[in-house]
Amino acid sequence: MISPAVSAREAEVLALLGEHLSNAEIAARLVISVRTVESHVSSLLRKLQVPDRRALARHAAEVVRAEEPQAALPAPLTAFIGRVRERAELAGAVRAQRLVTVVGPGGVGKTRLALAVAADVAGDFPDGVWFVDLVPVTEPGRVGAAVAAAVGVGEQPGRGIDDAVPAALADRRALLVLDNCEHVRDGVAPFLERLLAACPRLRVLVTSRARLMVPFERVVPVPPLSREGGDESDAVALFMDRAAAVGWPPGPGVSEGVVAVCERLGGMALAIELAAARWATLGLDGLAAGLSDQLRILTGGPRADDRHRSVRAVLDWSHDLLEPQDRALLRRVSVFVAPFTAEAAADVAGFAPLDPAAVVDGLGRLAEQSLLAVAPSETGTRYQALETIRQYGAERLDGAAEAEDVRSRHLAWCLNAADALSGKRGADWRVRFDAVAEDMRAALTWAAGRPEHRADACRLASSMAELAFARTLLGEAQQRFEQAAGLAGDAEAAVALRQAAAVAGCRSVDGDMFRLHQAAADAARRSGDATGAARDLAMAATVAYRFSSSFERIPPVDEVAAMLAEARALSGDDPVAGAAVALAEAAVLADAFGSVQGDPDNPAQETVGEAERAVELARRAGDAVAESAALDALSGALSWAGDSHGAAAAARRRIDLLPSEPSGPAETHELMDALAMAAGTAIGVGGLPDARRFGGRLAGHPLLAEAGHHATSWLLVADAFAGNAGEVLASSLRFHDAWEQSGRLRTRSLGPAAASVAMVHGLRGDGAAREEWLAIVAEAGPEADHRLGYGAVFDAMVLLHHGDAGAALDRVAPEPDEVWKWVCWVWLHWYAALRAETAVLAGRPDARDRIAAARALVAGNPVASAQVDRAEALLVGDVPGQLAAAAAFEAAGCRYQAARTLVLAGGEHAGAGQAALDGLGLAPMAVR
C-alpha cells in the first residue's frame, strides 16, 4: 500500500512514473502543468526517501505488483510421474541461465516437465511466474501481444505492445514460460532478445520442437521416458498410473509385458498415456497386437487441445510446419528402421526433388525440429526417428507415388551393405553388422512378397543367413537359409537347405536337421541332381541314428531304411554320394553310433568294419566333413568292441582333420561335435588334461554362447572326475540356466553333465543340492543311461566317499557284459576300476579276481590303472603301493583321487589327505 503521507494526486503521479512516462506525458494525462508535475516528483523523492526518478519508478512498480493478483500456472489434471533427474537439471538451468529452451518431439512431455519445474522454482521469482501458450498464435508478429495479455499489460498511447511488455517487466525478478514456440520461432526469437536485454532480472523458459537459434540460449533436450529398470522405470510408472486411472490397474503379473509395450512406444509420454487409457478395453495382448499400427490405436477421446487427442494429431501438427522438401525427406527416411548415416540417407532419399546435398541439409533441419534424434556411434553420426514418428513417415510414404522407388532404393542399399559385410571382417565387423541388420530384415520382408523383387530377395536372404551365422545368430541363420530356399530355383534351394540343416545341427535341433536334409533331397530330385539327392537322403538317415537321443520324435526305422535304400539306388558311381551311403549303412544297419533305436546285439567287429569302410570312402572323396563323421562312427564302433583307446584315437583324428576356424556351418557343426567326442573319449581313457582342453574349447565356442548346457557338458564331467569342485559349481550355473531356457532338453550328452554336478554336491556333503541335481538328471537324459551307466559310476564314488562300500558295491554289481550298451563308451574303465575297489573295501572274496579282470581292461588308462593299483595295495595292506597310486593320480590330473588315496593310506597321511580334500572344497571322507 502507498504511505498515507502521499497525497492522492502524488499517488497518480507515482503510478505514471511506474509506467516510465515523462513529465510532459504525465502532465498531459492528468491535465496539469509540467511545473506541477515537477513539484509532485520532488515531494515524492523527499517523502519516500529515494535518490532519483528511476528509484521512484521502481517503487511504483513494486506497489503495483503488491496490489495486483499474480497469474497462476495451469493446474495439471494428472500427476506428474518420474523424470527426477531431468526435473532437477532443468530447474538448475532455469536458475542459472537467462533463456532456457526445452526441446523434444511432440508428445514427449515437454510442457508437463516445464510446468513442473516452473512450480518448483516459483519461490525464486517473487515478482511472478507467467505461462503463455502460443498454440493459438498463428502470426510471428503477435507473440508480443500474447505475452502482454498473459502478463496483464495493455497498449499505451505512443507505445507499441512489444515495447510495453519490456517496460512493465524491466525491474521484475520473474519467470516467463512460453509453451509451444515451434511454429512462431521467427517471432519468438527477436521478441525475447529485446525483452531480455531490457529486463536483466527476468528468466524465460521455452518449450519447442526446435531451438530458437539465438546465441544466449541454453538448450535442454527432453529424452523419451526411461525404460531402464524394467517395471521400476519412469515409463512403466506412467503407464501403471494412467491405467489405474481408468479403473483397471494392471497387476504385478503383467509388468514384463508393460515394459515391452513402453519399449515399443519408445518412451513417448503421450503415446504411453494413450495406450494406458485403452488398457481396460484391449488388455495387454490387444495392446501388443495393436502397436504394429500405433497411429490407429493411440487415440483418445475429445481434448481441449485437439493436438493431444491422438499421436497422429501431434505428428500432423509437426508435419504441417515442415517445408515440402523436408516433408519428402521425412517420409523417405522412414524406410530406415535402425539409426542411419547421412550417406545412407543420401543413397536412399537423394532423388528429385532432393539431391544428396539437400538430403544432408534436410536431416539437420529435421533434427532441429526434433523429428530425428542425432547420436554419435562407433561408425559415425547416425539419425533415428522414434518408432511412432517412423510409422507416421511410413504411412505418408505409402500414400505417396514414390513409395516403390524409395523402398527399391532401400533394398539396393541393403544388398550393398550385405556385400560389404561379406568381405574381410575387422574388429568392428560385429558393430557394423548390428548397425544395418534391422534394415536388411525390413527390406527382405518387403521384397520377399513382391515377384518383381524375388531374385534380390533371394540374394539378400542368402547373404543374411551367412552373416547371421557369423554373428552367432543361429536361429536366424537357419531361418534365412530356409527363406532363401523358398525364393530360389530347385538347384539353389537344395544348396540352401543343406546349409540350413548344418545350422540346425549347430543348434542341436537334430529333428530339423533330419527334416532339412529330406527337403534338400526333394529339391535336388526336382532339379535333376540324382547324386545330390542320394547324398541328402543318406545324410538324413545318418542323422536319424547319429543324433537319435535328441529327437523329440524318433523317425520310424522302416522310414529311415527306405530312405537309405533310395539313396543307395540314386548314388551311382559318385564318390561323395557313395561315401555318404556307406556312413548311413554303418549308422543304420550296423548301429555304429549306439542309437536309441539301434540293435545292441550287432556284432562289434562287423560294425568296426562298416565304419572303417565309410572312413576310407570319405577320405578318397576328399571330403573332410564326411571323413570326420565317418571317424565318429568308427569311434563309436571301437567303443562297442571294447577298444576305448581306439575310440579316443579316432575322436582325436577328427580334431586334426578339421580346420580350427571352420568356414561354414557344416564344418562348424562337425568341429563342435568332434570337440565333444574328443573330450568324452579322453575321459574314457583317463586323459583328464586332454578332456579339459577339448571341453574348454567347446565351452568357449562362440556359437554356444547361448547354449551353455551343451557348451559345458563335458567340461563339467572332466572337472568333476578331477575334483575341481569350484569349477564345477561355477559352470553348473551356466549349464542350468541354459538348460532351463532350452525347455529342459533331454539328450544323452546332458545327463552325464548333470550327474557329475550331483556327484560333486554329494562329495561336498550337500544332500539337498545333490537331490536337486539328481532331479535334473532324471529330466536331462534317458533313465536307463543313468541307472545302468554313468549314474552307477558317479553314485558309487559318492557312496565310497562317505564310507558306504556295501551300497557302492551294489551300485556296480552287474558285470560289464550285462550293462554293455551303457558302460562300453566313456564309462567302461571307470566302472571296471570301481568294481575292483568296492570289492576290496566291502571285503568281497572275489576281490582279487575283479582286480585282475580290471587291470587287463584298463591298461593304458592312468587314472583307472592307479585306482586298480590302489585297490590291490589296499587288499594286501601295501602303504607304499598306496602312496605310489596317490602320486600316479596327481600326475594324471586327478587331485580328488590323490587326496582320497592319502586318507585311505591312514596314519600320518590321512591328515594330509583330508586337508587336500578341504582345499578342493569337498567334505571330509569317512573311512570304515
Side-chain angles (χ1 to χ4, degrees):
M1 296 294 293
I2 298 175
S3 168
V6 176
S7 68
R9 177 61 77 178
E10 288 173 340
E12 291 177 331
V13 171
L14 182 61
L16 295 175
L17 286 170
E19 295 181 21
H20 301 280
L21 301 184
S22 66
N23 286 353
E25 290 171 327
I26 294 173
R29 182 79 65 86
L30 298 179
V31 196
I32 57 178
S33 68
V34 173
R35 184 178 295 276
T36 301
V37 173
E38 291 173 349
S39 175
H40 287 314
V41 169
S42 298
S43 176
L44 287 168
L45 291 171
R46 183 178 66 257
K47 289 180 178 181
L48 299 177
Q49 297 182 345
V50 293
D52 52 32
R53 183 186 183 92
R54 182 180 181 84
L56 278 177
R58 187 182 305 115
H59 180 82
E62 291 172 354
V63 170
V64 170
R65 286 197 296 273
E67 294 180 345
E68 68 184 11
Q70 294 298 314
L73 291 169
L77 300 178
T78 55
F80 184 82
I81 303 294
R83 293 203 185 277
V84 173
R85 179 182 56 80
E86 295 99 319
R87 190 169 178 172
E89 290 178 356
L90 182 57
V94 169
R95 291 185 176 105
Q97 306 293 327
R98 301 288 311 284
L99 171 61
V100 179
T101 302
V102 177
V103 298
V108 79
K110 301 184 297 294
T111 298
R112 289 301 305 270
L113 178 60
L115 284 172
V117 168
D120 290 343
V121 302
D124 295 341
F125 300 98
D127 295 334
V129 177
W130 289 278
F131 179 85
V132 186
D133 184 5
L134 294 180
V135 167
V137 179
T138 58
E139 301 174 44
R142 298 293 301 165
V143 170
V147 174
V151 173
V153 175
E155 287 198 44
Q156 300 170 2
R159 174 178 291 172
I161 195 69
D162 286 358
D163 295 323
V165 174
L169 302 180
D171 296 314
R172 297 200 181 191
R173 187 177 177 187
L175 174 65
L176 181 63
V177 181
L178 300 184
D179 193 32
N180 298 302
C181 295
E182 54 271 358
H183 60 300
V184 285
R185 282 192 308 159
D186 291 345
V188 171
F191 172 78
L192 289 182
E193 188 166 4
R194 293 192 302 271
L195 180 65
L196 290 171
C199 306
R201 305 172 74 192
L202 182 69
R203 297 285 188 272
V204 178
L205 176 59
V206 166
T207 75
S208 177
R209 282 191 304 111
R211 56 196 178 104
L212 301 180
M213 303 290 286
V214 292
F216 48 90
E217 174 185 32
R218 165 72 182 276
V219 178
V220 177
V222 178
L225 284 167
S226 171
R227 281 88 70 206
E228 294 181 6
D231 54 8
E232 299 296 322
S233 67
D234 286 354
V236 172
L238 179 64
F239 185 99
M240 295 294 195
D241 180 84
R242 301 306 191 252
V246 298
W248 287 77
V254 302
S255 62
E256 184 175 337
V258 173
V259 171
V261 166
C262 293
E263 190 64 47
R264 289 183 65 182
L265 295 174
M268 182 184 285
L270 176 61
I272 291 171
E273 290 187 325
L274 292 171
R278 306 205 66 179
W279 166 266
T281 54
L282 294 178
L284 184 60
D285 51 350
L287 276 178
L291 289 182
S292 58
D293 187 356
Q294 296 183 12
L295 301 175
R296 180 187 299 272
I297 199 169
L298 299 179
T299 303
R303 296 284 298 273
D305 183 351
D306 279 343
R307 293 178 311 127
H308 293 160
R309 181 177 182 180
S310 68
V311 169
R312 184 190 302 279
V314 170
L315 296 177
D316 282 340
W317 164 270
S318 299
H319 179 268
D320 293 345
L321 295 176
L322 298 175
E323 296 296 325
Q325 284 197 336
D326 291 344
R327 294 179 187 176
L329 181 58
L330 179 64
R331 64 177 178 262
R332 290 178 183 181
V333 298
S334 70
V335 295
F336 290 102
V337 295
F340 56 91
T341 63
E343 181 182 10
D347 286 345
V348 172
F351 62 97
L354 300 172
D355 58 33
V359 168
V360 176
D361 187 36
L363 291 175
R365 286 193 298 273
L366 291 177
E368 287 290 347
Q369 297 293 326
S370 299
L371 292 169
L372 293 178
V374 186
S377 74
E378 296 180 39
T379 54
T381 301
R382 290 186 173 269
Y383 299 85
Q384 184 180 28
L386 287 174
E387 177 59 18
T388 307
I389 297 175
R390 193 192 70 79
Q391 286 190 19
Y392 180 85
E395 184 180 273
R396 290 279 181 170
L397 178 64
D398 289 341
E402 62 192 15
E404 176 74 20
D405 197 4
V406 172
R407 295 194 183 278
S408 296
R409 293 169 71 97
H410 181 245
L411 173 62
W413 178 82
C414 289
L415 285 165
N416 290 334
D419 290 343
L421 287 165
S422 298
K424 186 177 179 180
R425 294 171 187 161
D428 65 340
W429 184 88
R430 177 171 291 199
V431 173
R432 291 188 292 118
F433 172 81
D434 289 347
V436 298
E438 286 297 339
D439 277 292
M440 290 193 290
R441 293 174 184 124
L444 179 56
T445 298
W446 176 79
R450 288 165 172 77
E452 67 274 19
H453 291 290
R454 187 182 185 91
D456 282 340
C458 180
R459 178 183 155 202
L460 184 55
S462 296
S463 295
M464 284 196 67
E466 294 171 0
L467 295 171
F469 185 80
R471 181 61 177 82
T472 69
L473 301 174
L474 301 189
E476 181 172 9
Q478 180 182 330
Q479 173 197 352
R480 299 304 176 196
F481 277 126
E482 293 192 58
Q483 186 176 22
L487 294 166
D490 288 331
E492 295 80 5
V495 174
L497 289 166
R498 288 170 196 141
Q499 294 279 67
V503 177
C506 293
R507 300 175 63 211
S508 296
V509 187
D510 299 312
D512 274 7
M513 195 179 184
F514 176 76
R515 169 182 63 82
L516 289 164
H517 275 304
Q518 287 182 294
D522 291 340
R525 272 198 218 91
R526 290 194 300 270
S527 71
D529 181 8
T531 56
R535 184 170 68 252
D536 288 315
L537 288 169
M539 292 180 74
T542 298
V543 166
Y545 277 67
R546 186 182 181 189
F547 303 111
S548 59
S549 69
S550 61
F551 273 69
E552 292 185 10
R553 185 191 71 85
I554 298 175
V557 173
D558 292 346
E559 176 187 336
V560 177
M563 292 169 57
L564 176 55
E566 185 179 359
R568 191 184 294 118
L570 292 172
S571 62
D573 297 328
D574 183 80
V576 176
V581 169
L583 177 58
E585 290 173 338
V588 176
L589 304 180
D591 193 29
F593 296 106
S595 64
V596 172
Q597 68 272 44
D599 182 359
D601 296 326
N602 284 334
Q605 290 305 320
E606 290 184 16
T607 302
V608 171
E610 291 290 335
E612 287 176 335
R613 174 173 171 267
V615 171
E616 178 60 21
L617 289 176
R619 186 190 63 76
R620 291 179 189 174
D623 187 337
V625 170
E627 186 176 352
S628 172
L631 283 168
D632 190 29
L634 178 59
S635 180
L638 289 169
S639 75
W640 279 112
D643 185 358
S644 298
H645 290 287
R652 285 194 299 273
R653 282 172 60 189
R654 298 175 65 193
I655 303 295
D656 297 333
L657 179 67
L658 296 166
S660 59
E661 295 185 4
S663 59
E667 285 183 350
T668 300
H669 173 235
E670 198 60 39
L671 177 61
M672 290 164 64
D673 183 75
L675 288 170
M677 295 305 99
T681 54
I683 290 171
V685 296
L688 296 183
D690 282 344
R692 294 197 74 254
R693 178 163 55 88
F694 294 134
R697 282 183 62 185
L698 188 67
H701 199 291
L703 289 189
L704 294 178
E706 303 300 325
H709 48 324
H710 291 296
T712 61
S713 57
W714 287 111
L715 186 60
L716 280 168
V717 177
D719 275 330
F721 276 131
N724 301 327
E727 287 84 345
V728 170
L729 297 181
S731 296
S732 70
L733 298 176
R734 181 182 175 194
F735 177 97
H736 183 267
D737 289 347
W739 179 70
E740 288 281 1
Q741 292 171 8
S742 75
R744 301 192 167 202
L745 181 69
R746 179 188 290 269
T747 177
R748 274 190 166 160
S749 65
L750 298 182
S756 69
V757 180
M759 181 187 77
V760 167
H761 282 298
L763 298 179
R764 297 179 71 245
D766 190 342
R770 174 170 166 77
E771 289 302 317
E772 289 178 5
W773 277 91
L774 287 176
I776 294 173
V777 173
E779 290 191 63
E783 184 273 337
D785 284 17
H786 180 258
R787 178 169 51 85
L788 301 173
Y790 59 81
V793 172
F794 290 132
D795 290 351
M797 289 179 65
V798 173
L799 291 166
L800 288 176
H801 186 87
H802 294 293
D804 195 347
L809 180 68
D810 291 341
R811 194 69 179 88
V812 292
E815 294 282 349
D817 286 347
E818 296 177 45
V819 289
W820 187 247
K821 183 170 183 176
W822 294 275
V823 301
C824 67
W825 182 44
V826 172
W827 319 111
L828 178 60
H829 288 186
W830 297 91
Y831 189 87
L834 277 165
R835 292 187 83 246
E837 182 173 346
T838 55
V840 170
L841 294 175
R844 286 271 303 192
D846 63 348
R848 191 173 297 279
D849 292 338
R850 289 196 181 189
I851 289 172
R855 189 179 300 285
L857 184 62
V858 304
N861 182 323
V863 178
S865 293
Q867 192 166 7
V868 173
D869 289 343
R870 180 179 65 194
E872 185 170 19
L874 286 168
L875 181 65
V876 299
D878 178 7
V879 174
Q882 294 175 53
L883 297 179
F889 282 125
E890 194 72 47
C894 192
R895 293 187 296 161
Y896 166 65
Q897 293 293 353
R900 184 168 183 274
T901 306
L902 293 176
V903 176
L904 291 170
E908 60 182 314
H909 307 294
Q914 296 285 17
L917 290 173
D918 183 65
L920 292 171
L922 303 177
M925 200 177 91
V927 181
R928 298 177 187 174

